Amino acid sequence: MSLFEKNVVGVLGGGQLGRMLIEAANRLNIKVIVLDSENAPAKKIHAHGDHIAGKFTNKESIEELAKSCDVITVEIEHVNTYVLEGVSEKVMIEPSWRTIRTIQDKFLQKEHLRKHSIPVVPYREVRENTVEELAAIGEDLGYPFMLKSKTNAYDGRGNYPVRSKDDLGPSLDFLTDRPLYGEKWAPFKIELAVNVVQTKNGVLSFPTVETIHEDSICKLVYAPPRGVSSSIQKRAQELARKTVAAFEGKGVYGVEMFLLDDAAQTLLINEIAPRPHNSGHHTIESCGMSQYDAHLRAILDFPIPAKSLELRQPAVMLNILGGETRDSHLRITEAALSVPNASIHLYDKGDARPGRKMGHITVAGPTENAAQAAITPLIDLVDKLRA
Ligand code: ATP
Ligand code: MG
Ligand code: MG
């Protein structure tokens, strides 16, 4: 049987990650059926009548999707894993629903990592959501610490930095009615990320990158990371591969980590995503194969030459976020049109809201300096529009 015979892919979620997955699928004539709302960005670039309009948490919609696909994957982890478990006899789910269930709860994820001897920051479960209980956790972890929602967290929505005892009440008000845990503050020098591909034959990794967050939202990605030795980059890739190998299921995973400022240059895992990740957008331009190509190939058991995952040329990726005014993201995009080697990706999401990811720009260059110099005016513009 040809590899191309049984390859209809179902995706829960039709945002920008699903859209870029479809860009990769389109080049291989692979049909993708998206479950999301009517005008989801991913659906708009893949015309056929079989997309499903509905919520990726909805039982009937997921069951309908399962009927028409060979494999189901996700572009977001906040899906209904109980329904996925129910259909897993009939259709392959990659990565497995167990993995998605564990990862979508950041506390369960931490417990899983700890059991597999993966280094993480110390953390404490919050059971009663009272100021008294949180004060005891503050004593234990020290200040500042990060209060986090266990579930439905993304782009920092779900995190509250507790700087002192005075923040205990406000932090509980902010994260009211959510299941919580506390994390010790990680005094990191920089944040690194690695995209890992789990295949039927084992794990492969993309290059280590540096991520810069602003207000807990990813702003910039540097490939390779600035001022990080190649031995640390290699160590980060090894740790990321070990981390992903602790989970069941094929596909790309995003692994976020902290590089500490200590003598040992300790690496700690912050969190993982069971899907392609913002930190890997740059691979479209900088590697022989993008994380989206790799995800498709992994879930369909297509070959993935490890060499294709190496960095071909340095790159910097800048997210285009919605800003204070309705058109601030468009001003950045327009400026990018004149930047040599800037690849512009817009997600066709409609109206911007502050902090909403509307697109991204990747500038690749022959050297790190060249890529950084070319994108600097755009970063300056982003900072000016923010100020
Ligand atoms: P994502 O969009 O990546 O899924 P998220 O909402 O799950 O984000 P986290 O990754 O937990 O949020 O945190 C967002 C950012 O906040 C991190 O990238 C880091 O900059 C900072 N942060 C998170 N946890 C800690 C910690 N324990 N100590 C210090 N900084 C932290
Ligand atoms: Mg997260
Ligand atoms: Mg994160």
Side-chain angles (χ1 to χ4, degrees):
M1 192 178 83
S2 155
L3 279 178
F4 284 88
E5 264 165 49
K6 272 185 68 112
N7 56 14
V8 177
V9 175
V11 187
L12 302 190
Q16 67 266 23
L17 298 170
R19 183 173 163 108
M20 287 183 270
L21 187 69
I22 286 178
E23 286 179 347
N26 279 341
R27 280 185 273 105
L28 287 178
N29 285 351
I30 290 172
K31 181 175 178 184
V32 179
I33 303 179
V34 174
L35 165 56
D36 205 335
S37 56
E38 200 69 70
N39 266 322
K43 293 183 180 179
K44 294 189 203 169
I45 60 161
H46 198 51
H48 60 66
D50 298 334
H51 293 303
I52 298 170
K55 290 206 164 96
F56 38 76
T57 45
N58 180 271
K59 186 165 186 280
E60 287 72 33
S61 305
I62 296 176
E63 285 173 350
E64 192 187 336
L65 182 69
K67 281 190 203 134
S68 36
C69 302
D70 300 305
V71 53
I72 288 184
T73 189
V74 298
E75 62 118 50
I76 179 166
E77 55 274 29
H78 308 301
V79 298
N80 188 332
T81 62
Y82 292 91
V83 181
L84 285 178
E85 179 180 359
V87 298
S88 63
E89 299 282 295
K90 290 181 228 132
V91 62
M92 286 195 305
I93 316 280
E94 300 292 352
S96 97
W97 56 265
R98 282 190 198 86
T99 291
I100 301 168
R101 187 176 297 166
T102 305
I103 289 179
Q104 70 180 189
D105 181 318
K106 288 166 109 172
F107 179 74
L108 290 184
Q109 184 193 133
K110 281 258 153 32
E111 296 273 274
H112 184 85
L113 294 174
R114 197 171 50 87
K115 264 186 227 134
H116 285 83
S117 309
I118 308 289
V120 293
V121 294
Y123 58 93
R124 300 285 178 271
E125 186 170 22
V126 178
R127 292 164 198 272
E128 291 152 17
N129 292 30
T130 61
V131 170
E132 295 70 35
E133 183 194 22
L134 217 54
I137 291 175
E139 280 295 301
D140 196 10
L141 295 176
Y143 292 93
F145 71 92
M146 192 71 100
L147 187 63
K148 293 193 178 185
S149 174
K150 291 179 179 174
T151 55
N152 288 315
Y154 68 98
D155 290 346
R157 295 171 219 202
N159 288 358
Y160 195 101
V162 184
R163 304 200 178 276
S164 70
K165 279 184 188 157
D166 294 340
D167 284 345
L168 294 172
S171 71
L172 285 175
D173 291 342
F174 183 77
L175 295 171
T176 185
D177 293 334
R178 296 179 76 166
L180 304 174
Y181 74 104
E183 256 181 37
K184 194 176 171 71
W185 200 263
F188 59 82
K189 185 160 73 175
I190 58 172
E191 291 184 85
L192 299 176
V194 177
N195 296 110
V196 172
V197 196
Q198 182 137 258
T199 72
K200 63 174 181 186
N201 302 319
V203 283
L204 300 167
S205 42
F206 278 98
T208 302
V209 300
E210 171 187 0
T211 59
I212 307 270
H213 293 79
E214 212 165 72
D215 299 332
S216 286
I217 303 178
C218 177
K219 176 186 184 188
L220 282 159
V221 171
Y222 289 88
R226 295 167 302 169
V228 174
S229 70
S230 54
S231 72
I232 294 176
Q233 292 181 42
K234 236 188 227 139
R235 200 147 54 78
Q237 286 177 304
E238 281 160 13
L239 176 59
R241 288 199 300 269
K242 181 180 171 197
T243 303
V244 169
F247 291 89
E248 189 192 341
K250 290 177 273 195
V252 166
Y253 294 68
V255 182
E256 300 178 9
M257 44 191 127
F258 301 123
L259 173 61
L260 301 190
D261 209 2
D262 57 355
Q265 305 271 283
T266 303
L267 287 167
L268 299 175
I269 298 296
N270 169 24
E271 64 162 347
I272 48 189
R275 51 166 172 79
H277 194 256
N278 197 165
S279 63
H281 292 348
H282 71 93
T283 56
I284 297 172
E285 285 83 11
S286 68
C287 295
M289 181 189 295
S290 78
Q291 63 165 346
Y292 304 100
D293 296 313
H295 186 72
L296 271 182
R297 288 188 185 209
I299 64 175
L300 292 170
D301 290 339
F302 286 12
I304 300 178
K307 193 94 192 130
S308 301
L309 309 190
E310 289 174 10
L311 197 69
R312 243 184 350 199
Q313 54 179 350
V316 186
M317 191 275 330
L318 173 68
N319 270 338
I320 304 173
L321 303 176
E324 286 310 313
T325 60
R326 276 188 57 193
D327 71 337
S328 27
H329 63 290
L330 295 177
R331 290 183 57 191
I332 297 155
T333 310
E334 279 165 23
L337 290 170
S338 304
V339 172
N341 291 318
S343 301
I344 304 170
H345 301 252
L346 292 179
Y347 306 150
D348 204 0
K349 282 187 169 175
D351 287 340
R353 287 190 303 270
R356 188 171 196 210
K357 289 173 178 166
M358 304 303 291
H360 75 267
I361 300 155
T362 299
V363 179
T367 63
E368 288 174 57
N369 281 346
Q372 285 171 26
I375 205 165
T376 296
L378 296 179
I379 301 173
D380 290 345
L381 179 61
V382 166
D383 292 340
K384 196 178 124 205
L385 289 172
R386 243 178 78 87

